[in-house]
Amino acid sequence: FGFFATINHGVDGATIKDAWTASTEFFDMKSSVKQSVKMTDDYPYGYENYESLGVERSTSDANNTSQDTLSPDSKETFSLGPLNSELSNMPARKFPLNAPSNFAPATERYYSAMEHLAKILFKGLAMALKLDDASWFLQKGRFDDGHQCALRILNYPELEYKTDASTVQIRAGEHTDYGAFTILKSGGPGLQLQLSKDKEWIDVPHLEDSFIIN
């Protein structure tokens, strides 16, 4: 169903604000605090500042004929997995001990709010597909309490752009999201999408108090 924005979504503004504030405070902390819960092969959540999903690319991979090197994505991430580790068969949640006191409760409340929003979106998707049961995607074995969805909190630190034109620095490189859909809360414009039928990049409008769904 492509990209769309949802407004009047029912997510409490305080929940969004608290998660945003707590995340900002967390990313402003010392590296030793942030890296105390790192993403590893055994724990696919936590902190990461070197995108492991696509470490280094060539601009030729992005439909560019040159062989200039693209630096790794210029961002840092903290990821949170599902609450029910037993049903999801995923590791239990971990938080840095010296993180801001509101970091864990604020991000967990936000995660729960996104779970609720996802259930509404799944019902809407079922209706759009004209399924007999609007709760088809919410049945056991689908998006139930054993789901494996992750919350990824991203920070894009301020950059001093290099004068060397042969090196390109980007925030988040060309990619395809995994899973049924992504619920994105953005702090401003910058997101682009590319339709499969052509090569043109389209700016996604930034709407206050909305979520982008793709």
Side-chain angles (χ1 to χ4, degrees):
F1 48 84
F3 274 70
F4 63 91
T6 177
I7 59 175
N8 302 321
H9 42 68
V11 179
D12 183 30
T15 298
I16 299 173
K17 182 179 178 181
D18 290 348
W20 200 276
T21 300
S23 299
T24 300
E25 293 175 355
F26 170 75
F27 284 122
D28 283 343
M29 300 197 78
K30 297 186 298 183
S31 178
S32 58
V33 174
K34 294 185 287 187
Q35 298 202 45
S36 63
V37 176
K38 294 177 63 175
M39 184 181 292
T40 65
D41 291 339
D42 296 326
Y43 187 71
Y45 308 113
Y47 179 78
E48 180 191 39
N49 62 353
Y50 196 78
E51 183 64 67
S52 62
L53 299 179
V55 177
E56 186 176 62
R57 303 171 303 278
S58 166
T59 50
S60 60
D61 296 334
N63 302 314
N64 191 306
T65 56
S66 69
Q67 295 298 318
D68 297 336
T69 298
L70 286 175
S71 300
D73 289 352
S74 302
K75 66 177 185 288
E76 53 184 345
T77 305
F78 188 89
S79 300
L80 191 65
L83 178 62
N84 197 319
S85 59
E86 183 177 351
L87 287 179
S88 66
N89 198 32
M90 299 302 289
R93 292 175 174 175
K94 299 179 184 179
F95 292 94
L97 293 177
N98 295 318
S101 60
N102 60 336
F103 182 62
T107 53
E108 289 193 310
R109 283 195 300 270
Y110 185 84
Y111 186 106
S112 295
M114 294 303 102
E115 280 184 311
H116 180 70
L117 179 57
K119 291 177 181 179
I120 296 174
L121 292 169
F122 270 125
K123 286 185 177 181
L125 180 57
M127 294 172 66
L129 293 173
K130 299 181 179 180
L131 301 181
D132 292 336
D133 183 1
S135 298
W136 189 88
F137 289 105
L138 306 182
Q139 295 175 11
K140 186 176 180 180
R142 295 166 186 157
F143 189 71
D144 57 11
D145 290 338
H147 72 76
Q148 298 181 342
C149 297
L151 169 65
R152 300 187 74 212
I153 308 167
L154 306 182
N155 181 48
Y156 301 94
E158 183 178 356
L159 289 178
E160 292 184 5
Y161 287 95
K162 300 177 181 180
T163 57
D164 183 1
S166 66
T167 302
V168 180
Q169 281 190 289
I170 55 177
R171 295 304 206 172
E174 179 181 350
H175 64 277
T176 301
D177 286 353
Y178 56 87
F181 52 72
T182 297
I183 303 174
L184 173 66
K185 182 62 180 176
S186 173
L191 178 66
Q192 294 182 312
L193 66 90
Q194 186 183 62
L195 302 178
S196 58
K197 64 181 180 180
D198 55 43
K199 306 298 183 182
E200 182 181 359
W201 286 97
I202 303 170
D203 291 331
V204 177
H206 175 69
L207 304 175
E208 292 293 339
D209 195 29
S210 71
F211 290 97
I212 299 296
I213 315 297
N214 72 288

